[in-house]
Amino acid sequence: MASNSEQQIAAYQQGATATRDFQTRMLAAGDPDTAKAASDLTDGYLDAINNTQNQP
């Protein structure tokens, strides 16, 4: 069974993947403002992954 931090990381990775896909779709649709917001959200997920991995 995965530890709590492993479960958190898996959830953050799913979120990052979903927002990256959404960002790509918004760029293709010509909506750079929404794509930028998705990019910022992806960055937040990646930060959360790094913070979770770096916990003692």
Side-chain angles (χ1 to χ4, degrees), residues 4-53:
N4 187 42
S5 62
E6 290 171 331
Q7 290 174 349
Q8 285 179 313
I9 290 170
Y12 294 147
Q13 287 172 333
Q14 282 183 315
T17 298
T19 56
R20 241 183 266 124
D21 292 345
F22 182 72
Q23 176 187 2
T24 301
R25 288 195 308 274
M26 291 301 98
L27 285 172
D31 188 348
D33 293 335
T34 303
K36 172 68 171 110
S39 175
D40 293 344
L41 184 55
T42 300
D43 290 345
Y45 279 119
L46 297 177
D47 288 342
I49 290 168
N50 288 332
N51 291 339
T52 302
Q53 289 174 333

